[in-house]
Amino acid sequence: MAICTVYTTHSLKSTSSVSTPTKTHLGFHQRQVIFYSTSKKTDRRGSSEISCSAGEAKTVVIGLAADSGCGKSTFMRRLTSVFGGAAEPPKGGNPDSNTLISDTTTVICLDDYHSLDRTGRKKNGVTALDPRANNFDLMYEQVKSLKDGIAVEKPIYNHVSGLLDPPELIQPPKILVIEGLHPMFDPRVRDLLDFSIYLDISDEVKFAWKIQRDMAERGHSLESIKASIEARKPDFDAYIDPQKQYADAVIEVLPTQLIPDDNEGKVLRVRLIMKEGVKYFSPVYLFDEGSTISWIPCGRKLTCSYPGIKFFYGPDAYFGNEVSVLEMDGPFDRLDELIYVESHLSNISTKFYGEVTQQMLKHADFPGSNNGTGLFQTITGLKIRDLYEQIVASKTSAPLEATKA
Amino acid sequence: VGTMAATPESISEKVTESIKLAEEACAENPASGECIAAYDEVEELSAAASHARQKMKESDPLETYCSDNPETDECRTYDN
């Protein structure tokens, strides 16, 4: 919320009405100060000063990095669902807009900051992964503006035509999610993020997922899918992958270790790597915080079919940072397994018992709902809600303490 | 491969075409910028096609009808 203070240095004669902040259709506050003064402007000294502390209207900014076809949109749908309300494209705008808006959350796709359109990239022989194809100055300016509560006119990159369409107006939301290939690439943008997530899909799983996605498509063959992954790999390794060292949470998706030589990509080993010491974020743990634990929940209390489920939890180092790792290998067969698992996890930031299970049930048809990807994405969503609530609470309590003093 | 809704014709054609172009661009030099950019386009269009399929799969015929005609017998819902 914008805190504006008006100092009127003199004159009881002047009737000044200060209208702050203006309510937008999003129910959020825009920093806009309209100052009316009905007194004759003869007395120069009778001026009024308005000071707005920009820091108070702040939007919480979350960054999500992942390659295309790695489940960003599924994660986004799970995340917005945690905050309630359906996320929809802006009403009445460009039908090819990449933006999703719900009551609390606005998700913008960073492809909209491409500086080169499809023909431009072809002409220059660069991919969308290349920093030269992206306008980081504009990305920084607009994310900064939104964070400070100012609406922006953001371009739209049309994925079907490959062209940059006329811009759309984005209002500052409570929570802004920037998702795409480079949310943590530019240090200025990275510093604006309150929390960052990297979806790290191993090459084997990426290949299996793209086969599932594309094989039915006319023209695609195993060769063309493989060639597309290979061609993009050098740029991916150079510009996208290094961003994971800056992420507060990394979700790693790997082939299972429960079935020897499995390469179907159906049974997955998923690791949630959580950075320690991040403000407003306390990592999830299994049984005992800081211990190293391997847990197979299948047994007398829980029947699992082949290949079963295996959990791992423990401290580790990741790019020189201290992290906690929670790992799940294997699929869920039935829901009672999930509630049993949920009841043994701590620090999951749920508001009631069974909330993780309930969230997963809501979207049982999403990809990853029967394995660790869905579980860890849901938990990350709850951690973000918790982080958001703590940030808001600390912001509102700070000015209150100041007035008390 | 699970149950797939069909990709809209316009996108499907573009995917097929982009693959053909990429194969041509890479025939001469597989490490060239043109080849890499062409396969990046294939990926972008394949992703767009998959998103379009997803959108079509989600559209329920009755839901679509009811959003336009909420007053009809088959669509009316009362909260209490």
Side-chain angles (χ1 to χ4, degrees):
Chain A
M1 192 166 292
I3 307 282
C4 295
T5 330
V6 184
Y7 305 96
T8 312
T9 40
H10 113 296
S11 91
L12 294 160
K13 280 176 279 173
S14 76
T15 36
S16 16
S17 91
V18 179
S19 126
T20 46
T22 316
K23 226 165 190 204
T24 67
H25 72 284
L26 280 170
F28 210 63
H29 295 108
Q30 236 180 335
R31 268 179 56 224
Q32 210 175 65
V33 180
I34 304 156
F35 184 70
Y36 305 96
S37 178
T38 47
S39 66
K40 282 163 219 144
K41 289 231 163 129
T42 40
D43 192 352
R44 280 263 145 212
R45 287 177 304 143
S47 61
S48 302
E49 275 176 45
I50 303 167
S51 79
C52 284
S53 44
E56 310 305 327
K58 261 187 188 169
T59 292
V60 173
V61 187
I62 314 286
L64 171 67
D67 196 6
S68 100
C70 289
K72 270 184 307 228
S73 40
T74 307
F75 190 4
M76 268 5 311
R77 288 193 290 170
R78 284 191 202 280
L79 178 64
T80 45
S81 161
V82 168
F83 287 97
E88 280 168 357
K91 284 199 180 68
N94 187 330
D96 291 317
S97 163
N98 304 309
T99 308
L100 286 173
I101 296 173
S102 75
D103 293 345
T104 46
T105 322
T106 293
V107 182
I108 60 177
C109 173
L110 295 179
D111 289 352
D112 291 336
Y113 294 106
H114 282 337
S115 55
L116 298 171
D117 62 7
R118 196 177 287 158
T119 4
R121 292 198 299 271
K122 269 191 147 174
K123 210 178 282 168
N124 291 285
V126 294
T127 67
L129 310 163
D130 197 305
R132 285 173 290 171
N134 294 281
N135 185 347
F136 289 105
D137 293 337
L138 184 67
M139 191 192 292
Y140 168 67
E141 275 164 31
Q142 297 208 330
V143 174
K144 175 140 189 12
S145 294
L146 287 170
K147 187 162 186 168
D148 290 340
I150 302 160
V152 298
E153 290 270 349
K154 181 190 61 58
I156 299 172
Y157 178 73
N158 188 317
H159 284 99
V160 179
S161 69
L163 298 169
L164 284 157
D165 285 353
E168 60 186 349
L169 183 70
I170 304 289
Q171 297 289 350
K174 289 180 186 161
I175 299 162
L176 175 70
V177 184
I178 55 171
E179 57 104 348
L181 296 162
H182 306 96
M184 287 99 88
F185 185 86
D186 187 284
R188 295 168 299 169
V189 181
R190 201 191 305 148
D191 285 344
L192 292 173
L193 300 176
D194 293 292
F195 195 73
S196 52
I197 307 142
Y198 185 91
L199 291 185
D200 190 4
I201 316 299
S202 71
D203 290 347
E204 298 95 319
V205 176
K206 207 184 271 186
F207 186 50
W209 282 5
K210 289 205 172 157
I211 289 173
Q212 283 175 35
R213 187 191 72 182
D214 293 337
M215 265 315 245
E217 193 62 57
R218 221 164 358 105
H220 258 304
S221 60
L222 218 53
E223 282 72 42
S224 66
I225 295 168
K226 204 180 264 174
S228 176
I229 292 178
E230 301 266 294
R232 296 171 78 255
K233 197 163 178 1
D235 279 0
F236 179 81
D237 291 344
Y239 309 120
I240 311 303
D241 202 50
Q243 293 180 91
K244 62 188 181 196
Q245 62 188 294
Y246 306 115
D248 298 316
V250 176
I251 299 180
E252 256 180 18
V253 184
L254 305 152
T256 182
Q257 289 179 335
L258 299 171
I259 307 167
D261 304 316
D262 176 82
N263 47 17
E264 267 189 279
K266 289 212 174 102
V267 180
L268 300 172
R269 180 164 72 102
V270 188
R271 288 159 65 85
L272 175 60
I273 301 164
M274 299 160 282
K275 213 180 245 179
E276 291 284 344
V278 177
K279 209 178 176 192
Y280 307 124
F281 173 66
S282 55
V284 178
Y285 64 89
L286 184 62
F287 299 118
D288 181 41
E289 195 167 11
S291 296
T292 300
I293 294 158
S294 182
W295 180 46
I296 297 171
C298 310
R300 282 188 194 132
K301 283 192 185 161
L302 195 75
T303 44
C304 305
S305 64
Y306 181 80
I309 303 176
K310 190 177 172 185
F311 275 86
F312 170 85
Y313 165 75
D316 206 342
Y318 190 78
F319 290 98
N321 291 309
E322 200 187 323
V323 295
S324 285
V325 178
L326 180 64
E327 178 184 306
M328 178 185 162
D329 196 350
F332 300 118
D333 282 341
R334 290 194 310 265
L335 187 79
D336 45 358
E337 295 182 1
L338 185 49
I339 191 80
Y340 183 72
V341 167
E342 181 182 347
S343 65
H344 290 91
L345 291 170
S346 302
N347 248 349
I348 42 179
S349 302
T350 47
K351 299 218 161 162
F352 52 86
Y353 176 71
E355 191 177 14
V356 172
T357 308
Q358 193 218 47
Q359 276 295 331
M360 294 275 288
L361 249 185
K362 234 176 170 176
H363 306 295
D365 55 330
F366 284 10
S369 291
N370 67 336
N371 62 46
T373 53
L375 175 66
F376 292 160
Q377 285 176 358
T378 304
I379 290 176
T380 310
L382 295 168
K383 296 306 295 184
I384 289 171
R385 181 181 68 186
D386 193 29
L387 174 115
Y388 166 74
E389 283 170 359
Q390 286 184 64
I391 290 177
V392 169
S394 72
K395 290 251 164 69
T396 45
S397 68
L400 274 180
E401 276 160 29
T403 36
K404 259 187 253 161
Chain B
V1 184
T3 47
M4 286 263 193
T7 315
E9 199 59 26
S10 54
I11 306 178
S12 192
E13 261 167 41
K14 279 190 171 174
V15 175
T16 318
E17 203 187 295
S18 72
I19 294 170
K20 221 184 285 163
L21 286 174
E23 278 164 358
E24 281 165 26
C26 296
E28 296 150 32
N29 183 2
S32 66
E34 293 94 69
C35 167
I36 288 167
Y39 268 117
D40 189 41
E41 184 185 320
V42 173
E43 171 56 31
E44 193 172 278
L45 285 167
S46 306
S50 136
H51 284 144
R53 275 199 303 271
Q54 189 64 40
K55 234 185 237 170
M56 285 173 85
K57 207 163 74 180
E58 271 165 24
S59 64
D60 180 289
L62 184 62
E63 293 288 336
T64 317
Y65 172 76
C66 286
S67 66
D68 297 332
N69 308 284
E71 283 310 308
T72 50
D73 280 348
E74 47 274 72
C75 298
R76 258 178 288 168
T77 49
Y78 299 99
D79 285 335
N80 53 35

